[in-house]
Amino acid sequence: MSTLSELVYAQGRSTDADIEWLHRLAGDGQLLADLAFADIVIWVPTSDDSFIAVAHTRPSGAATLFYRDIVGDLVRPQWRTQVRDAFTRIAIVDSASPDWFEETPTRVRAVPIVRTVGGPNTQPAVVGVLTRHTNLGEARTPSRQQITFNDAADDLFGMIASADFPDLAAPTSPRRGAPRASDGLIRMDVDGVTTFASPNALSAFNRLGFDDELEGESLLEVTTGILPKGRDFDESLPIVMAGRAPWRADVEARGVTVSLRTIPLKDHGTRIGALVLCRDVTEIRHQEQELITKDATIREIHHRVKNNLQTVASLLRIQSRRTHSDEARDALTHAMRRVAAIAVVHDTLSEGLAQKVDFDDVFDRVLKLVAEVAASPNTRARTRKTGTFGTLPSEYATPLALALTELVTNAVEHGLVDQEGEVEIIAERTEETLGVKVRDTGVGLPEGQVGRGLGTQIVRTLIQGELSGTIDWHTLVGSGTEVTIEIPMRYLGRPPL
């Protein structure tokens, strides 16, 4: 199914600002559908003087009219005139009589979607039409809550037609557990006094410690009265509770957390009151805190592992300097370098929340370490990396870093021994594979022969055993050696965007 942006762009009649406005409105489609107890559809004009549906939301507390999603469909003939009138006249147009849709009586309201363009002297821009489709097949005497919800929906429809809703100053991405109309709704007048509170909203405030009725009370005074004394609270809370800004805040008391969202209500720019959506998110916030604690613990573990590995590397370095045997000194130096390479990976993991690493950053740090340690007094080796590794899961970053450390070390110590040359590392990443070439300008290996040392064994074990990849050594034409590694991407995740 096409996205809203793709459908709108395909019509060729909207700007990026129009699409952003439509996206913000579609993001509140569920709120509008639940308040209106009706299906909500957003239409944009097409090049052939028709309209196409780019968003559709069903109500969660009422019977839907459309059992199949109509996104991507052209407006039906029985609605075309009404939708076009709302678009051209920039006015809300209601159906004159019940409309029949697939043998179901319905009532349709068409609302022009108007966005602000600039200063007070500029003409508003009509970017589409929103239609409300109410299923009358299960009509019954409305309750006070349903009447209040419908009135709130009508207020929002009027704000949509006067470019007062959506408000671009409101947060764009809802926090997990964002309140919905069914979770609890409070309506306030322009002075911040509650005129209606749904049963769920009243229950939420009762759990916070308020034991009276909310209606007739100042919501700001109620909230400040139940907050624990001396405890810091969200700075935006007073503005949210007064209904003056389209913002969100959390209220915490008695071990309960209630998330609040305020929607100021306006009549052609003049504030007339506000809606406050509220939801008990205690369990959700506890889960979030547990995740934060878990992430912090994992980062601390990576940090301590890095410190311990660096200590081990330092001990190996000290031991190598005090060793009189050249063979033992080389073995300790290689061990020190391998431990230091693993420490770099853990250092990177300790800096972020995700258990993935930017391997380009890791390898750049490892490359400097290898070049400094491996080069002998008579060897001048230059290292160069081309291409991009991208982001890799932590469980694969360590074996790959170790394998490349060994290959670059071998290229410097054996390929470029007692001479000047270059080691180039080429990374090529596709959706299917990660390919790496380590190429030096040294003396080269006899064709068909591969080293049998510990470093070669380590590389084979890491690439073939842990990463399920392939590795091949061969001599370049003229001089030098090239090692080619290929690792299937199913082991490393998706490529970077």
Side-chain angles (χ1 to χ4, degrees):
M1 182 183 295
S2 299
T3 64
L4 183 150
S5 297
E6 292 172 340
L7 288 169
V8 176
Y9 271 126
Q11 312 314 312
R13 299 184 54 172
S14 301
T15 65
D16 289 341
D18 295 338
I19 293 175
E20 180 186 3
W21 195 271
L22 292 169
H23 264 296
R24 295 295 292 269
L25 182 59
D28 276 317
Q30 193 64 60
L31 171 65
L32 295 170
D34 291 345
L35 289 176
F37 297 93
D39 287 85
I40 299 295
V41 183
I42 294 177
W43 310 85
V44 296
T46 63
S47 57
D48 56 355
D49 197 32
S50 184
F51 291 84
I52 187 172
V54 297
H56 173 209
T57 309
R58 296 177 176 84
S60 58
T64 182
L65 183 66
F66 305 102
Y67 294 97
R68 295 180 180 83
D69 203 318
I70 66 171
V71 171
D73 293 352
L74 293 175
V75 65
R76 307 220 171 184
Q78 64 263 42
W79 308 324
R80 185 181 299 124
T81 300
Q82 185 179 353
V83 170
R84 185 183 295 112
D85 285 349
F87 186 82
T88 57
R89 290 164 45 196
I90 316 181
I92 296 176
V93 179
D94 289 307
S95 53
S97 59
D99 177 57
W100 289 85
F101 178 79
E102 297 182 356
E103 301 182 355
T104 301
T106 67
R107 180 177 293 111
V108 181
R109 165 171 285 191
V111 180
I113 303 172
V114 183
R115 74 169 180 88
T116 54
V117 177
N121 297 324
T122 58
Q123 293 295 321
V126 187
V127 299
V129 175
L130 178 148
T131 52
R132 180 195 67 185
H133 302 261
T134 306
N135 188 335
L136 301 178
E138 300 181 358
R140 60 182 183 272
T141 303
S143 63
R144 180 168 177 253
Q145 175 170 311
Q146 185 171 351
I147 293 173
T148 303
F149 275 37
N150 282 328
D151 288 344
D154 289 341
D155 288 332
L156 293 178
F157 291 148
M159 291 168 62
I160 292 171
S162 61
D164 289 319
F165 189 83
D167 194 324
L168 296 185
T172 53
S173 55
R175 188 178 179 184
R176 182 169 173 256
R180 302 157 297 190
S182 57
D183 296 319
L185 181 138
I186 297 171
R187 178 154 188 160
M188 300 186 298
D189 61 20
V190 69
D191 297 319
V193 176
T194 302
T195 59
F196 172 82
S198 70
N200 285 344
L202 183 59
S203 295
F205 274 82
N206 288 160
R207 287 190 288 273
L208 287 170
F210 181 72
D211 298 325
D212 206 345
E213 293 294 329
L214 283 173
E215 294 185 17
E217 300 288 341
S218 166
L219 195 60
L220 178 57
E221 293 179 1
V222 168
T223 305
T224 54
I226 60 180
L227 289 175
K229 303 300 181 183
R231 180 182 296 181
D232 293 336
F233 56 87
D234 195 327
E235 294 180 355
S236 62
L237 186 60
I239 299 177
V240 171
M241 304 313 297
R244 296 181 178 274
W247 213 250
R248 298 190 178 107
D250 284 355
V251 177
E252 298 182 21
R254 299 174 62 178
V256 175
T257 303
V258 174
S259 180
L260 304 169
R261 177 195 175 187
T262 294
I263 303 174
L265 298 177
K266 300 178 181 179
D267 183 5
H268 293 87
T270 301
R271 193 168 64 86
I272 59 174
L275 299 177
V276 178
L277 306 177
C278 51
R279 179 181 182 181
D280 187 338
V281 293
T282 305
E283 186 61 31
I284 294 176
R285 294 295 181 261
H286 283 169
Q287 293 174 359
E288 290 177 347
Q289 188 60 46
E290 288 176 357
L291 289 174
I292 292 173
T293 302
K294 176 183 175 183
D295 289 335
T297 302
I298 292 174
R299 290 201 309 273
E300 179 62 22
I301 290 173
H302 283 302
H303 181 72
R304 294 189 181 186
V305 169
K306 181 263 297 185
N307 288 343
N308 291 338
L309 289 173
Q310 288 180 338
T311 300
V312 173
S314 298
L315 293 174
L316 291 171
R317 183 184 298 110
I318 294 171
Q319 188 65 43
S320 68
R321 291 173 179 172
R322 296 191 175 187
T323 301
H324 299 293
S325 169
D326 291 340
E327 183 178 355
R329 184 182 300 108
D330 290 342
L332 290 170
T333 301
H334 284 301
M336 180 272 294
R337 186 186 59 251
R338 290 163 186 151
V339 171
I342 300 175
V344 170
V345 176
H346 283 280
D347 186 32
T348 304
L349 289 170
S350 69
E351 296 173 355
L353 292 176
Q355 290 302 296
K356 293 186 177 182
V357 297
D358 181 353
F359 196 77
D360 293 284
D361 177 58
V362 170
F363 187 66
D364 287 343
R365 296 166 63 181
V366 170
L367 200 56
K368 293 179 181 178
L369 175 69
V370 172
E372 293 174 358
V373 174
S376 63
N378 298 323
T379 302
R380 297 184 61 186
R382 299 183 302 275
T383 57
R384 178 163 60 97
K385 179 178 76 73
T386 59
T388 301
F389 289 94
T391 302
L392 302 180
S394 59
E395 58 266 33
Y396 301 114
T398 297
L400 185 58
L402 275 174
L404 294 180
T405 297
E406 294 297 327
L407 291 175
V408 174
T409 300
N410 287 341
V412 174
E413 291 186 341
H414 302 295
L416 301 177
V417 62
D418 295 333
Q419 62 176 293
E420 181 178 349
E422 182 179 82
V423 179
E424 182 181 13
I425 301 90
I426 305 169
E428 296 179 353
R429 186 166 180 176
T430 67
E431 292 187 2
E432 292 78 24
T433 61
L434 171 63
V436 184
K437 293 181 180 179
V438 180
R439 180 185 300 163
D440 66 69
T441 58
V443 296
L445 289 170
E447 190 61 37
Q449 295 187 20
V450 179
R452 299 180 180 179
L454 177 60
T456 302
Q457 294 178 23
I458 290 175
V459 171
R460 283 192 182 279
T461 300
L462 294 172
I463 298 300
Q464 297 176 348
E466 296 197 29
L467 299 177
S468 298
T470 60
I471 184 168
D472 178 55
W473 282 265
H474 60 275
T475 301
L476 297 174
V477 178
S479 66
T481 301
E482 182 178 82
V483 183
T484 303
I485 296 172
E486 190 169 283
I487 302 169
M489 284 300 301
R490 64 180 178 273
Y491 293 102
L492 299 180
R494 296 185 61 82
L497 298 177

